[in-house]
């Protein structure tokens, strides 16, 4: 061992979920003992049971546990850990945490505190990149942080502009503003979100670049002066400025552009004395010009696509660099093999503006043909306190289309039942002609929203017919009969009235209006089903829990409410003014008082869950009759927040729903 090397034997992972498990796998292979930390919400989580030791560090809220520096340092001391890996999110880019680890005699697996602090401040990072000669987006980096001052700078710059939290990341504290009239509301929301996520509401402005690509370059830098880049990743498919699909290499980057972006990133890393794994993020316009956006001084969520192309374990090299070991390769040794694509499976409802979901996973069966990074199992709880991403699915093939087709097949073959996810939406994105051609940018989802999110989801009616058969036939023991049994199912605002006639040995006929389907149900593998219809047979799964029945069929997950025995909701009951929490969340703000007059669509309350703000609006015109929550309170899903008294004449007429 040389004088510059620092050995350690026990690694504490200051994180949770899939990234904690991912780090443990590499640490175990390297012969390191592992320590997990956990909150009240994660007492029985997979990462807790997988570690050699585990320490409870506080309550469910991140501020009480995964952001609690003192609690994490105590856990390291109690277990004798001599190094800490922060993963991503939480404290991964917190300079005070890195400094506290060093002060406690712990090796921090990441760059020096001063580097994290400098690059974590978007204004300081941008200044450093300008000094290093890296192209940057025009904007305002001044000291003024009041809404009035920033609005004045935005007017000078000209709309559209991007509001960004200087301490931000992951799309939080970021808003795109196209009109002067919307600036104040966007600034308030961005500041509030930034303060919650980062404890800092300092803002900066940048000129918005219309429909750019989001392309980032991965670098590795050791403490001996070697810096290399590992190619680029294209992260353009996003919602709410957060990535959903990432791939490498980028369809828009040729060898010359890759070389220029790579050289700029290496030069920038050298200029700031960087050490470890890091990522330079750029916006790429249609003319091949790239502009520095930010640097992530940590491992990225999408690191598996780079691992697939290079054959390198990035977590291993984070650890080896932290130990002081030299990189054994130079830039000419880096080889990029084939194409890799990753999708983020999130507990969210794309049909309801990607609203985060929480609850119990009733059935989890990832496709064995993909690399799937996750911390899930059947029966696991997805809590409302953390990020909505629950798994990453990665495909690697010789060509981009090979990887794309493999990922579509594997995504369709994975079952995640019990709460709504973006599984079907991801499949539709991957299947879209523009994505297939590589013609995507950051406006891809908004531009194709009507195709990707139709009013009635593709396949919903067919899924309702199949589920009606499953409910009527049961495990295949229902007695044949000649009369049609009514089955009523609800999903979102849609109600499906169906009739099922049961024949022998799992055969049945399902009717819905003029539509008619003849099905045969038989047992499948691992408790699943086989559904034969029109000469073709395919696998399906059905489970019930949380007041809903879930069906995985046709490569998608469907959650229906069984309304056969439920009272029908009348028009008078619909839109009654009872404003309920859409998820388990913390109340950020109540915007009205008892006696206030409100109109339908007006924002009444703002909740925060899974690191995002969610507005709850009035569903009728009326007056605030009662308020049942207050700012700072934690509320459960469907908790009553506000009651409205409808205007004279009653609630608005609504169609019958279930």
């Amino acid at each position: 061992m040389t004088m510059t090397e620092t050995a350690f034997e026990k690694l504490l992972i200051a994180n949770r979920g899939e990234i904690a498990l991912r780090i443990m796998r590499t640490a175990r292979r390297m012969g390191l003992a592992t320590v997990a930390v956990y909150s009240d919400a994660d007492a029985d989580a997979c990462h807790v049971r997988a570690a050699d030791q585990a320490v409870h560090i506080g309550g469910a809220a991140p501020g009480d546990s995964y952001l609690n520096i003192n609690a994490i340092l105590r856990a390291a001391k109690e277990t004798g850990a001599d190094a800490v890996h922060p993963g991503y999110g939480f404290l991964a880019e917190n300079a005070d945490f890195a400094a506290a680890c060093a002060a406690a005699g712990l090796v921090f697996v990441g760059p020096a505190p001063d580097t994290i602090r400098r690059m974590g401040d978007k204004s300081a990072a941008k200044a450093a990149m300008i000094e290093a000669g890296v192209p940057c987006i025009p904007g305002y980096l001044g000291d003024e942080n009041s809404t009035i001052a920033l609005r004045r700078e935005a007017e000078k710059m000209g709309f559209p502009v991007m509001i960004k939290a200087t301490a931000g990341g992951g799309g939080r504290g970021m808003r795109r503003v196209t009109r002067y009239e919307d600036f104040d509301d966007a600034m308030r929301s961005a500041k509030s979100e930034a303060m919650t996520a980062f404890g800092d509401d300092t803002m900066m402005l940048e000129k918005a670049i219309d429909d750019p690509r989001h392309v980032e370059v991965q670098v590795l830098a050791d403490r001996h002066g070697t810096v290399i880049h590992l190619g680029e990743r294209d992260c353009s498919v996003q919602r709410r400025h957060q990535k959903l699909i990432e791939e490498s290499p980028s369809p828009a980057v040729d060898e010359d552009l890759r070389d220029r972006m790579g050289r700029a990133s290496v030069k920038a890393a050298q200029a700031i004395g960087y050490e470890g794994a890091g990522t330079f993020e750029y916006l790429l316009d249609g003319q091949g010009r790239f502009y520095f956006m930010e640097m992530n001084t940590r491992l990225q969520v999408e690191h598996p696509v780079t691992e697939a192309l290079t054959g390198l374990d990035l977590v291993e090299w984070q650890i080896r660099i932290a130990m002081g070991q030299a990189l054994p390769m130079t830039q000419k040794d880096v080889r990029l093999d084939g194409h890799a694509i990753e999708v983020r499976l999130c507990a969210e409802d794309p049909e309801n503006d990607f609203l985060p979901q929480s609850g119990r996973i009733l059935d989890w069966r990832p496709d064995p043909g993909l690399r799937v990074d996750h911390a899930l199992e059947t029966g696991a709880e997805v809590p409302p306190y953390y990020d909505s991403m629950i798994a990453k699915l990665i495909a690697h093939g010789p060509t981009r289309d090979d990887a794309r087709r493999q990922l579509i097949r594997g995504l369709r073959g994975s079952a995640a039942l019990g709460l709504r996810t973006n599984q079907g939406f991801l499949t539709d994105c991957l299947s879209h002609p523009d994505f297939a051609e590589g013609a995507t940018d950051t406006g891809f989802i908004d531009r194709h929203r009507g195709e990707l999110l139709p009013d009635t989801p593709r396949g919903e009616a067919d899924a309702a017919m199949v589920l009606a058969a499953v409910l009527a036939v049961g495990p295949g023991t229902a007695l044949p009969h000649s009369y049609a049994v009514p089955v009523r199912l609800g999903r979102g605002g849609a109600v499906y009235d169906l009739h099922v006639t049961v024949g022998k040995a799992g055969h049945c006929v399902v009717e819905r209006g003029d539509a008619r389907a003849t099905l045969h149900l038989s047992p499948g593998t691992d408790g699943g089903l086989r559904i034969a219809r029109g000469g073709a047979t395919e696998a399906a799964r059905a489970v019930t829990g949380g007041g809903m029945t879930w069906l995985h069929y046709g490569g998608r997950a469907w959650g229906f409410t069984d309304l056969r025995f439920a009272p029908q909701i009348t028009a008078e009951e619909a839109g009654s003014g009872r404003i309920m929490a859409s998820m388990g969340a913390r109340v950020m703000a109540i915007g009205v008082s008892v006696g206030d007059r409100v109109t339908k669509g007006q924002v009444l309350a703002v909740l925060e869950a899974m690191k995002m703000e969610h507005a709850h609006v009035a569903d009728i015109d009326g007056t605030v009759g009662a308020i049942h929550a207050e700012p700072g309170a934690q509320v459960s899903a469907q908790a009553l927040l506000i009651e409205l008294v409808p205007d004279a004449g009653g609630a608005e007429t609504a169609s019958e729903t279930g």
Side-chain angles (χ1 to χ4, degrees):
M1 184 181 300
T2 67
M3 294 293 291
T4 58
E5 292 187 22
T6 306
F8 52 81
E9 297 182 354
K10 184 178 286 189
L11 181 68
L12 183 146
I13 297 96
N15 218 296
R16 65 180 297 277
E18 64 87 15
I19 186 55
L21 284 177
R22 163 71 188 90
I23 295 166
M24 286 178 198
R25 285 196 297 272
T26 291
R28 186 175 296 113
R29 181 172 55 77
M30 295 178 70
L32 299 175
T34 57
V35 179
V37 292
Y38 64 93
S39 69
D40 288 348
D42 284 337
D44 193 41
C46 289
H47 78 277
V48 175
R49 287 180 274 122
D52 297 308
Q53 293 174 278
V55 181
H56 175 254
I57 54 170
D64 297 330
S65 49
Y66 299 108
L67 293 175
N68 188 332
I69 293 175
N70 289 333
I72 292 171
L73 294 180
R74 281 196 301 270
K77 184 176 181 180
E78 290 170 6
T79 58
D82 43 8
V84 174
H85 195 306
Y88 43 67
F90 296 127
L91 294 169
E93 294 178 283
N94 186 303
D96 292 338
F97 179 55
C101 287
L106 299 166
V107 176
F108 180 79
V109 181
D114 288 347
T115 303
I116 297 174
R117 187 171 287 111
R118 186 181 187 187
M119 300 312 291
D121 183 317
K122 282 188 168 61
S123 296
K126 193 167 182 178
M129 294 302 100
I130 291 172
E131 186 177 343
V134 178
C136 293
I137 305 169
Y140 174 72
L141 301 173
D143 296 328
E144 293 283 352
N145 194 46
S146 70
T147 298
I148 293 174
L150 290 168
R151 189 196 321 122
R152 184 170 58 246
E153 294 298 329
E155 282 188 272
K156 292 179 186 177
M157 198 179 305
F159 291 91
V161 300
M162 294 298 299
I163 297 171
K164 292 185 177 182
T166 61
R172 298 175 186 93
M174 183 186 299
R175 299 291 185 274
R176 186 178 193 273
V177 187
T178 58
R179 304 188 312 153
Y180 173 89
E181 295 81 5
D182 299 332
F183 187 86
D184 287 9
D185 285 344
M187 181 62 71
R188 180 212 60 76
S189 179
K191 280 182 173 255
S192 173
E193 195 169 88
M195 182 59 72
T196 298
F198 315 112
D200 184 350
D201 67 354
T202 306
M203 293 288 151
M204 61 181 282
L205 301 175
E206 286 183 345
K207 182 66 178 173
I209 297 176
D210 289 328
D211 301 325
R213 284 183 180 263
H214 183 150
V215 179
E216 61 191 27
V217 176
Q218 176 74 60
V219 299
L220 286 177
D222 64 24
R223 67 181 59 168
H224 307 279
T226 299
V227 183
I228 61 173
H229 74 83
L230 305 179
E232 81 287 349
R233 297 183 290 255
D234 195 312
C235 311
S236 299
V237 180
Q238 306 175 2
R239 53 95 178 92
R240 293 204 196 99
H241 306 295
Q242 291 184 306
K243 305 163 187 174
L244 284 181
I245 303 176
E246 300 106 343
E247 61 180 309
S248 183
S250 168
V253 175
D254 58 19
E255 287 293 339
D256 176 67
L257 181 55
R258 179 173 301 114
D259 181 65
R260 287 189 286 121
M261 295 182 77
R263 287 177 181 272
S265 302
V266 167
K267 182 180 177 182
Q270 291 169 331
I272 61 175
Y274 195 77
E275 181 181 318
T279 304
F280 289 89
E281 303 205 2
Y282 301 99
L283 292 181
L284 178 66
D285 70 15
Q287 286 72 50
R289 295 180 296 238
F290 61 95
Y291 303 93
F292 172 79
M293 202 169 36
E294 64 181 5
M295 184 187 188
N296 293 126
T297 55
R298 54 165 170 83
L299 191 68
Q300 293 282 91
V301 173
E302 56 272 20
H303 74 273
V305 296
T306 297
E307 292 183 328
L309 263 63
T310 62
L312 297 172
D313 182 331
L314 295 191
V315 173
E316 176 183 349
W317 280 106
Q318 282 188 298
I319 293 172
R320 293 195 182 282
I321 289 170
M323 288 179 169
Q325 296 181 21
L327 287 167
M329 70 217 54
T330 62
Q331 191 63 54
K332 65 181 178 57
D333 298 317
V334 176
R335 295 289 182 268
L336 304 179
D337 176 28
H339 201 100
I341 309 176
E342 170 185 295
V343 293
R344 302 188 187 191
L345 183 67
C346 298
E348 62 186 19
D349 184 1
E351 299 164 35
N352 191 16
D353 197 27
F354 300 95
L355 188 71
Q357 307 289 294
S358 57
R360 186 178 297 277
I361 296 287
L362 301 175
D363 193 22
W364 167 244
R365 296 174 189 273
D367 189 278
L370 300 177
R371 170 177 170 176
V372 183
D373 286 8
H374 68 94
L376 296 176
E377 60 187 351
T378 297
E381 284 285 340
V382 176
Y385 311 102
Y386 315 119
D387 193 89
S388 64
M389 189 185 75
I390 56 176
K392 304 182 305 195
L393 293 80
I394 306 101
H396 179 218
T399 69
R400 183 175 187 271
D401 212 45
D402 288 329
R404 185 184 69 89
R405 289 195 305 266
Q406 182 185 352
L407 188 52
I408 291 172
R409 186 205 58 75
L411 191 57
R412 289 173 59 86
S414 298
L417 302 177
L419 70 175
R420 289 196 177 186
T421 73
N422 63 345
Q423 179 185 15
F425 178 77
L426 292 171
T427 301
D428 289 344
C429 287
L430 294 169
S431 303
H432 193 279
D434 279 7
F435 186 90
E437 294 172 9
T440 55
D441 52 45
T442 57
F444 170 75
I445 288 177
D446 287 339
R447 188 163 54 252
H448 298 293
R449 186 172 291 266
E451 302 165 67
L452 298 171
L453 294 168
D455 292 339
T456 300
R458 284 178 288 274
E460 182 177 275
D462 283 346
M465 295 182 81
V466 171
L467 184 56
V470 172
L471 293 173
V473 175
T477 58
L479 294 175
H481 52 75
S482 58
Y483 57 91
V485 175
V487 176
R488 198 164 203 254
L489 301 172
R491 184 177 184 275
V495 174
Y496 291 90
D497 286 303
L498 309 111
H499 292 83
V500 184
T501 303
V502 179
K504 295 180 180 180
H507 289 274
C508 63
V509 175
V510 184
E511 296 175 287
R512 174 177 174 255
D514 295 333
R516 176 187 175 94
T518 300
L519 306 175
H520 176 244
L521 280 63
S522 59
T525 58
D526 297 326
L529 298 165
R530 300 289 295 173
I531 309 292
R533 180 178 182 182
T537 302
E538 66 177 285
R541 304 190 67 83
V543 293
T544 298
M548 299 185 72
T549 298
W550 296 86
L551 175 73
H552 183 260
Y553 174 75
R556 293 173 182 262
W558 304 95
F560 288 91
T561 304
D562 186 349
L563 301 175
R564 288 178 293 177
F565 312 109
Q568 296 187 12
I569 297 175
T570 65
E572 288 71 25
E573 292 172 316
S576 63
R578 291 171 59 83
I579 309 304
M580 321 288 278
S582 56
M583 75 213 88
R586 186 165 70 94
V587 180
M588 296 293 296
I590 299 291
V592 291
S593 302
V594 173
D596 285 357
R597 176 81 174 79
V598 300
T599 57
K600 185 176 180 180
Q602 179 178 335
V603 175
L604 306 180
V606 178
L607 273 59
E608 188 269 336
M610 294 181 169
K611 304 182 182 179
M612 297 294 290
E613 288 190 357
H614 308 279
H616 286 54
V617 303
D619 59 353
I620 60 170
D621 294 338
T623 303
V624 179
I627 297 175
H628 299 280
E630 59 184 23
Q634 187 74 32
V635 296
S636 59
Q638 297 305 304
L640 180 60
L641 302 175
I642 297 172
E643 289 183 89
L644 304 179
V645 178
D647 287 343
E652 295 189 6
T653 301
S655 60
E656 184 180 291
T657 60

